[in-house]
Amino acid sequence: MNSLKIKTIEDYLSEGKSPEILFWVGCAGSFDDRAKKITKAFVKILNSANISFAVLGKDESCTGDPAKRAGNEFLFQMQAISNIELLNSFNIETIVTTCPHCFNTLKNEYPELGGNYKVYHHTQFINKLLENNRFSIEGGEYKGKKITYHDPCFLGRANNEYNAPRNLIKKLDAELSELKRCKTKALCCGAGGAQMFKEPEKGSKEINIERSEEIKDNSAKIVATGCPFCNTMLTDGTKSFNPEDKIEVLDIAELIVKAKDL
């Protein structure tokens, strides 16, 4: 990872400097092998745009989202307060994360516990870089290709962000082919509400299979998403498809990196 130019917040402080942003990597982005690729892709984008950013490294802990969604408010508050004390000790002002669950928790649930920060999902931040002419996107291998998009629940319905990821797909000169259930009516991937960490309950069909079949019915062979949990659930859901129905599941950051050959 050193070749990706990653520094911790303590590295900056030892130099007497402050980074523009703190990149909150998240549990999935730190430990899940698939999600690590999303982390690396976003780091490549930050480096390409010459953004000075820091990570917490070993000091980063879970935001407490899974505990809260599972109903353990006490554990959530313990985790949140510990994180807030750490972030405030470093005078953190702006946080960017590739996980909508972390994004939602840091943005909407930390303020009442004393954690007030500007929080961006990575698709929002990349859009901001485009607007400020600090980064550019070319179509590359995706020019003219059909790409569909799966709305993560905590980015879409929970935070009303539908435009940023779609704008980035269109910047790739790709054709955005919407799913039948999208935006405010999008179907969950099946991982929300801490369901990622438990066995599915009895029913006729698992949610990620239902959503994956919807994606297969779309003519696009690439589905973009902006959440490591969605990425895992949709990848698992499409594994049983026949080779001719194969769907490639990629985070928007990965699409951009492949298009720019970073």
Side-chain angles (χ1 to χ4, degrees):
M1 292 288 276
N2 289 336
S3 62
L4 295 176
K5 299 185 209 172
I6 299 175
K7 295 164 72 172
T8 66
I9 188 69
E10 291 177 339
D11 291 333
Y12 276 95
L13 294 179
S14 67
E15 298 169 359
K17 300 176 182 177
S18 297
E20 290 180 65
I21 64 166
L22 176 79
F23 173 25
W24 186 279
V25 182
C27 299
S30 298
F31 300 112
D32 179 77
D33 286 342
R34 176 63 187 88
K36 286 177 187 177
K37 295 178 182 179
I38 300 171
T39 300
K40 291 178 181 179
F42 185 53
V43 166
K44 287 179 180 179
I45 291 171
L46 292 174
N47 285 336
S48 177
N50 292 316
I51 301 298
S52 64
F53 71 96
V55 297
L56 289 174
K58 293 180 179 179
D59 289 330
E60 185 183 295
S61 181
C62 179
T63 60
D65 168 80
K68 188 175 183 71
R69 305 306 156 212
N72 194 334
E73 181 67 21
F74 177 69
L75 177 57
F76 162 71
Q77 292 204 16
M78 283 180 59
Q79 292 177 304
I81 289 170
S82 176
N83 287 329
I84 289 167
E85 288 177 350
L86 180 68
L87 291 167
N88 289 349
S89 73
F90 289 132
N91 296 315
I92 299 298
E93 295 182 358
T94 304
I95 302 174
V96 183
T97 180
T98 56
C99 176
H101 298 257
C102 296
F103 167 69
N104 179 71
T105 304
L106 293 165
K107 180 176 183 285
N108 298 321
E109 292 166 349
Y110 272 33
E112 65 182 4
L113 297 173
N116 295 285
Y117 320 104
K118 292 179 183 176
V119 186
Y120 296 93
H121 184 254
H122 69 305
T123 58
Q124 295 176 322
F125 190 73
I126 296 169
N127 252 329
K128 188 179 176 188
L129 295 179
L130 291 174
E131 291 170 0
N132 294 332
N133 296 315
R134 297 189 66 178
F135 187 69
S136 63
I137 296 178
E138 299 83 23
E141 66 178 277
Y142 299 110
K143 187 172 183 178
K145 289 189 177 180
K146 281 189 178 182
I147 299 176
T148 193
Y149 174 67
H150 165 80
D151 287 282
C153 296
F154 277 101
L155 184 62
R157 286 192 298 274
N159 286 281
N160 200 37
E161 181 56 79
Y162 301 106
N163 295 329
R166 286 174 170 81
N167 181 55
L168 296 178
I169 292 172
K170 291 174 182 176
K171 289 286 185 182
L172 293 168
D173 293 329
E175 179 186 342
L176 178 61
S177 179
E178 293 283 10
L179 296 168
K180 289 182 179 178
R181 284 189 277 189
C182 64
K183 298 184 179 180
T184 58
K185 295 181 179 180
L187 180 67
C188 177
C189 72
Q195 298 297 306
M196 182 81 175
F197 308 104
K198 60 181 281 294
E199 292 299 316
E201 294 162 23
K202 291 182 179 180
S204 60
K205 187 185 292 183
E206 292 183 26
I207 295 175
N208 68 318
I209 300 296
E210 173 82 10
R211 188 57 162 167
S212 296
E213 288 176 351
E214 281 189 9
I215 293 168
K216 184 174 71 171
D217 290 339
N218 190 283
S219 57
K221 294 298 182 183
I222 301 169
V223 57
T225 188
C227 173
F229 289 176
C230 294
N231 196 297
T232 295
M233 297 300 282
L234 297 181
T235 299
D236 287 348
T238 58
K239 280 181 179 177
S240 62
F241 292 171
N242 294 324
E244 63 269 19
D245 295 322
K246 186 179 179 182
I247 306 291
E248 191 174 16
V249 184
L250 292 168
D251 187 89
I252 289 177
E254 293 178 300
L255 288 171
I256 294 170
V257 165
K258 286 191 175 187
K260 288 182 69 70
D261 195 25
L262 295 178

